[in-house]
Amino acid sequence: MYLKSKYYEEPLPEEGHYPESRWGLIFYGAVNAYGRGIRVIISMPQDSHIPFNARLMFDCTNNMAEYEACIIGLEEAIDLRTKILDVYGDSALVINQIKGEWETRHPGLIPYRDYARRLLTFFNKVESHHIPRKENQMADALTTLASMYQVKFPNEAPQIKIMRLDRPAHVFAVEVILDDKPWFHDIKIFLQKQEYPPGASSKDRRTLRRLSGNFFLTGNVLYKRNFDIVLLRCVDIHEVNLLMQEIHEGCFGTHANVYAMT
């Protein structure tokens, strides 16, 4: 959900033109008898706010809903080209797991934690803070909009759009490739020439820019940055077949037999 206001009516500045000032992000997720929803507030340096709201259409726990809210807020902050961010949430579990101070034992929360920590790499500086629920009043302000929206004339009705999320935030959509180009072709071309695929929508371009930040191109070879800073080489289907054949043949002296490798 977004609130139609001057921040969306005016074009965003070019990348890097925002001042290195501190932004704020407040997130809140809840699961109750009426359904599952998330609320996010992005605080801008000019004492203005952008609210977001979404209804989750898939089953999840309260902690998962909190992660959904945090991830949506981080993604929106990245799209606004924010570099310094303060993150506030009333979920001690989410805040401390993202900071690495608590272990993540629930298998359903591990993908959320990994994806959220990956998004943090897009910022120059991020500080996460836990706040009591009674002090998380900014998230509840979405229901009234009175303190969040400047009414220009009496009885003005702000336009609100609500997104529908049918799958968790860490799940990536995979499409069938109908040509002989490798899966990383668009990312490689973007890093080489700063060009987008023909017919790419604004959302596709935004996603491509976000994904390309996790890759490194040297010469004609593309690498993906792993979480432990190890570079993983990207290979196409022909290289995959060759590597699998050599591995199973034992060309590199593997001590495992063919049956153990399959």
Side-chain angles (χ1 to χ4, degrees):
M1 178 209 102
Y2 68 86
L3 176 62
K4 184 178 180 182
S5 64
K6 61 181 181 181
Y7 309 115
Y8 290 94
E9 294 169 357
E10 297 177 358
L12 289 174
E14 296 295 332
E15 186 171 359
H17 284 203
Y18 271 131
E20 289 292 321
S21 51
R22 189 176 295 273
W23 291 50
L25 166 63
I26 302 176
F27 67 91
Y28 172 72
V31 176
N32 51 45
Y34 300 99
R36 299 156 294 275
I38 59 177
R39 298 173 179 176
V40 179
I41 303 290
I42 293 183
S43 254
M44 304 177 69
Q46 299 82 6
D47 293 329
S48 301
H49 307 87
I50 305 178
F52 299 87
N53 193 24
R55 181 179 178 86
L56 306 180
M57 306 305 295
F58 50 88
D59 292 332
C60 64
T61 64
N62 192 75
N63 290 329
M64 292 178 180
E66 294 278 5
Y67 261 113
E68 289 282 346
C70 180
I71 288 174
I72 289 294
L74 292 175
E75 290 179 340
E76 295 295 342
I78 292 173
D79 293 340
L80 292 171
R81 293 182 276 280
T82 307
K83 293 303 180 183
I84 302 179
L85 184 67
D86 281 323
V87 179
Y88 299 90
D90 57 13
S91 173
L93 181 138
V94 173
I95 293 296
N96 287 285
Q97 286 184 353
I98 291 177
K99 294 169 65 175
E101 297 180 356
W102 287 10
E103 294 183 5
T104 307
R105 300 179 180 179
H106 194 288
L109 298 181
I110 294 177
Y112 281 108
R113 179 208 60 190
D114 292 343
Y115 185 46
R117 296 183 68 175
R118 187 188 313 169
L119 293 176
L120 296 181
T121 62
F122 288 88
F123 302 91
N124 294 340
K125 182 179 181 182
V126 178
E127 293 184 4
S128 302
H129 312 272
H130 172 251
I131 55 177
R133 177 158 299 184
K134 63 181 180 180
E135 297 181 12
N136 197 1
Q137 299 175 358
M138 289 293 292
D140 293 334
L142 281 175
T143 57
T144 61
L145 293 179
S147 61
M148 307 297 301
Y149 187 81
Q150 295 182 359
V151 179
K152 300 177 182 179
F153 50 88
N155 300 325
E156 179 187 6
Q159 180 180 353
I160 298 177
K161 293 185 178 181
I162 300 178
M163 299 182 297
R164 171 174 174 147
L165 306 180
D166 293 317
R167 58 175 178 267
H170 60 83
V171 177
F172 296 93
V174 179
E175 298 180 358
V176 178
I177 301 177
L178 302 178
D179 51 32
D180 57 351
K181 298 178 181 178
W183 61 269
F184 53 84
H185 174 76
D186 293 338
I187 298 176
K188 186 175 181 180
I189 293 299
F190 179 78
L191 292 176
Q192 284 179 334
K193 306 177 181 179
Q194 296 295 307
E195 295 179 355
Y196 298 100
S201 63
S202 59
K203 183 178 181 180
D204 294 334
R205 296 187 178 188
R206 184 175 57 187
T207 302
L208 182 59
R209 289 195 301 269
R210 183 181 302 160
L211 290 176
S212 62
N214 295 325
F215 291 83
F216 172 72
L217 183 64
T218 172
N220 200 38
V221 181
L222 184 66
Y223 295 90
K224 184 180 186 300
R225 295 185 178 91
N226 200 15
F227 296 114
D228 53 3
I229 317 301
V230 174
L231 296 179
L232 307 177
R233 180 175 177 179
C234 302
V235 295
D236 56 24
I237 185 63
H238 305 291
E239 293 176 302
V240 169
N241 293 333
L242 179 61
L243 289 173
M244 293 300 296
Q245 181 179 358
E246 292 177 346
I247 291 173
H248 283 276
E249 287 178 353
C251 299
F252 298 100
T254 177
H255 297 286
N257 56 35
V258 176
Y259 299 101
M261 295 292 295
T262 55

